[in-house]
Amino acid sequence: QVQVVESGGGLVQPGGSLRLSCAASGNIFRINAMEWYRQAPGKQRELVASIGSGGSAVYADSVKGRFTISRDNAGNTVYLQMNSLKPEDTAVYYCNINHLSRDWSLADYWGQGTQVTVSS
């Protein structure tokens, strides 16, 4: 079993910055993609950014140029640096870890979510 814990959310003014962290722990064999999703009230959960094991990253069009995803493979941690935040970035942000177990089975593990509120 793999545990996933996010941190770093909070209240920030428009134009401000926040850095989210997500740490995976437990019976880890190999982590593939590490991803950040978000869900605003009344909306579907959407992919914000994803980073592969080799470091290649993809972003939602709405955050390109403002958000940066990175990972520390040694620490099984993924980060999301969010700059130039807008009120429409307000949402609960979730971390997803795609994990390969020793029996070669794949599974997704989700964190509990961290609230990001952008407001003056």
Side-chain angles (χ1 to χ4, degrees), residues 51-83:
I51 186 167
S53 57
S56 59
V58 294
Y59 298 91
D61 287 343
S62 59
V63 306
K64 282 181 182 176
R66 300 188 297 120
F67 290 11
T68 303
I69 189 171
S70 60
R71 64 189 283 171
D72 171 7
N73 288 328
N76 296 320
T77 304
V78 62
Y79 305 96
L80 186 67
Q81 178 66 44
M82 304 185 294
N83 299 327

Side-chain angles (χ1 to χ4, degrees), residues 1-74:
Q1 192 72 303
V2 175
Q3 293 78 46
V4 179
V5 178
E6 303 107 334
S7 61
L11 173 64
V12 64
Q13 292 186 343
S17 298
L18 280 176
R19 189 191 196 207
L20 305 183
S21 299
C22 169
S25 62
N27 190 19
I28 293 174
F29 178 57
R30 186 178 300 170
I31 294 176
N32 296 324
M34 304 179 86
E35 301 175 323
W36 287 98
Y37 285 75
R38 67 185 181 187
Q39 186 167 19
K43 295 188 177 181
Q44 289 189 330
R45 190 173 296 190
E46 62 174 354
L47 178 65
V48 176
S50 175
I51 186 167
S53 57
S56 59
V58 294
Y59 298 91
D61 287 343
S62 59
V63 306
K64 282 181 182 176
R66 300 188 297 120
F67 290 11
T68 303
I69 189 171
S70 60
R71 64 189 283 171
D72 171 7
N73 288 328

